[in-house]
Amino acid sequence: MPHTDVLDLPLVLLSNRGPVTFDRDANGRTVNRGAGGLVSALAGLAEHLDDAVWVCGAATEEDAVVAREAQGSLLVQTHPIPHVVEGEPDGPSIRVRLVVTDPAAYADFYSVWSNPILWFVQHGLYGRSLSPVLTRAEHDAFENGYAAVNRVYADAVVDEVRARGGKALVLLQDYHFYLVAEHVRRQCPDVVLTHFVHIPWPGPDEWRVLPADIRERLLFGLLGSDVVGFHTRRYARNFVLCASELLGLPTDLDALTITVGDRIVRARYYPISVDPAALDATLASEEVAAHVAMLRYIFLDDDRQLILRVDRTDPSKNVVRGFLAFGTLLDQHPELVGKVSFLALLQPSRTDVPEYADYIALIGGVVAEINARHTKEGRQPIDLRMVEDFPLAVAAYSICDVLMVNAIADGMNLVAKEVAVVNRRGGVLALSETAGAHEELGEFAVTLHPFDTQQMADALYEALTMPMEERHRRLAAAAEQVRTHDVARWLNDQLNDLRQIAGI
Ligand code: F6P
């Protein structure tokens, strides 16, 4: 349980996706808890504070209806059954403020600037010879979309801070909101403000893809914070280098500090993690046991082996090259054909962004080609499932021989950490050197070079043929690392630093 006494301040959280969403079914309004490590870690904190509010986007039509009805924030009890509380809650609850924005502005904010432009710059996905092309439309989308929506959210945060007497701990999350901190700082100079960036932060040259005026606004926006948090030291250093080279500010690369006027802004790194107890409970469920039995029957009879990947269909995940590497493995080791299967559980993601929709089509094409080439006795080597089914994923985690994570870049990659905790078969992590998780787990993994399909094929072969004792040794060490560096620690380390910083 995190200490909740940070400066005895009220808490104002901001993220694009919030801790609950509302929908409608035949029986009326439904309330669902948000999924994922970030939401559960921060919800765990907010639920235990007397005065906390979570500002987030209205993600569904029903969210927007609820937001209009509430005309401000509303209290949602999160356990055991999520519901809106009218009087006193009798269980853990979170105050939520759902922000409704103009749909056209939100589309420019989310589907043009957050994804793809910022996401592509920060994950190094642009080929540069032909993309990006920044036209008047992108400039307008920045002003009328990204900046305008950031302003609406910033105003909501300011409102909530002022309602608490102008002093609060403000925790901003992610690449959607780089312009918020500066605005909040100007309106509420007494806040303690951190902005955590959940995706990679590249060096200055990558940021030069964006015009100077825009990248400077993004950087100065973030520098309204007291602390800018990242998953790894490399990203934190890159941020300090950007402040030095792109803004000309005085910096200290060893101390990871930037001087902005009379303020010191700290870059810090806190690797996000998973909740091992929650994973253990999911693994122990009947639903997972049923999936395990089915997956064993399909993939693991007669000493066969299973490679797994679980990803959103995001170009940064490098799914296409992953399959090309698997095809190379089967070409060069025909004895593995019919012996090794590749199960890919992919969740369609951001399909209204053209680059993402195109990527799904590319994945389908490469899978069809490899399956046509290597089907043996009616058995296709790749089983591609477009599903979002966490119990199924956990079942697959527990019995895979190899997990493939070959991201071009990934802020952290929690799938690798989940597999380390849950796998019971001496599963080998095949982990991209450019995933944040590689800093912690690389020594227990076989390393993948995300652009080198031959290297990845060789690494998969090494993982599949690694002696069982060595596989179990590495897995146990990886599991120990994750269990001792869980998501509660991610949050506590940040709060502990803030206690010191606020002692300023
Ligand atoms: O930090 C990256 C992130 O915002 C995570 O919350 C999550 O992995 C993913 O991107 C979700 O993306 P979206 O909200 O666009 O579906």
Side-chain angles (χ1 to χ4, degrees), residues 429-442:
L429 303 176
L431 194 49
S432 172
E433 67 174 60
T434 48
H438 196 272
E439 275 197 14
E440 282 174 272
L441 300 179

Side-chain angles (χ1 to χ4, degrees), residues 402-419:
V402 179
L403 172 77
M404 185 176 212
V405 175
N406 65 317
I408 288 169
D410 205 334
M412 173 51 66
N413 195 279
L414 291 179
V415 170
K417 293 190 171 183
E418 287 168 344
V419 168

Side-chain angles (χ1 to χ4, degrees), residues 16-17 38 110 115 119 174-176 198-199 312 349-350:
N16 185 42
R17 292 197 191 260
L38 164 72
Y110 183 80
N115 314 292
W119 185 273
D174 238 337
Y175 59 103
H176 311 90
H198 290 265
I199 64 177
R312 288 182 304 103
S349 178
R350 304 174 186 163

Side-chain angles (χ1 to χ4, degrees), residues 6-74:
V6 183
L7 327 172
D8 289 328
L9 288 176
L11 175 70
V12 180
L13 277 162
L14 172 67
S15 64
N16 185 42
R17 292 197 191 260
V20 287
T21 48
F22 295 88
D23 270 306
R24 288 201 87 77
D25 65 14
N27 301 320
R29 182 171 288 165
T30 60
V31 192
N32 296 305
R33 271 193 297 265
L38 164 72
V39 162
S40 33
L42 294 175
L45 175 66
E47 281 166 351
H48 291 93
L49 292 180
D50 292 338
D51 190 3
V53 61
W54 193 319
V55 180
C56 56
T60 63
E61 279 177 27
E62 195 62 16
D63 282 354
V65 176
V66 172
R68 279 187 210 101
E69 283 170 11
Q71 293 187 343
S73 62
L74 65 152

Side-chain angles (χ1 to χ4, degrees), residues 61-267:
E61 279 177 27
E62 195 62 16
D63 282 354
V65 176
V66 172
R68 279 187 210 101
E69 283 170 11
Q71 293 187 343
S73 62
L74 65 152
L75 193 61
V76 180
Q77 186 163 326
T78 47
H79 300 280
I81 297 169
H83 64 280
V84 176
V85 181
E86 302 295 346
E88 277 297 301
D90 56 10
S93 60
I94 303 180
R95 183 157 288 285
V96 179
R97 175 160 176 162
L98 294 164
V99 178
V100 184
T101 44
D102 171 65
Y106 189 86
D108 282 345
F109 155 81
Y110 183 80
S111 300
V112 178
W113 268 93
S114 300
N115 314 292
I117 298 178
L118 291 175
W119 185 273
F120 273 42
V121 168
Q122 294 193 235
H123 288 83
L125 296 179
Y126 281 126
R128 296 214 194 179
S129 53
L130 293 174
S131 62
V133 181
L134 301 174
T135 66
R136 160 71 56 204
E138 281 71 29
H139 281 273
D140 289 349
F142 186 81
E143 238 24 271
N144 307 326
Y146 192 82
V149 167
N150 266 247
R151 183 59 184 253
V152 174
Y153 281 84
D155 285 343
V157 170
V158 166
D159 239 30
E160 296 295 339
V161 172
R162 285 192 175 141
R164 289 161 176 81
K167 281 191 175 185
L169 171 63
V170 178
L171 303 183
L172 309 175
Q173 307 296 313
D174 238 337
Y175 59 103
H176 311 90
F177 298 121
Y178 289 155
L179 303 180
V180 169
E182 186 188 28
H183 180 75
V184 174
R185 163 86 44 214
R186 230 182 294 120
Q187 305 295 315
C188 309
D190 294 333
V191 286
V192 177
L193 211 160
T194 80
H195 190 127
F196 197 94
V197 178
H198 290 265
I199 64 177
W201 191 277
D205 287 344
E206 295 290 327
W207 283 100
R208 287 185 200 276
V209 167
L210 298 183
D213 60 326
I214 290 183
R215 66 183 189 236
E216 286 170 13
R217 280 170 72 184
L218 295 170
L219 281 165
F220 275 121
L222 271 169
L223 289 169
S225 314
D226 294 295
V227 175
V228 186
F230 302 90
H231 288 313
T232 70
R233 180 173 163 77
R234 182 160 57 90
Y235 306 152
R237 281 174 59 86
N238 283 341
F239 181 71
V240 175
L241 285 170
C242 284
S244 165
E245 291 180 22
L246 300 176
L247 301 180
L249 292 174
T251 58
D252 182 331
L253 198 52
D254 294 324
L256 294 174
T257 54
I258 301 154
T259 305
V260 188
D262 57 358
R263 293 189 309 116
I264 299 287
V265 178
R266 291 148 173 93

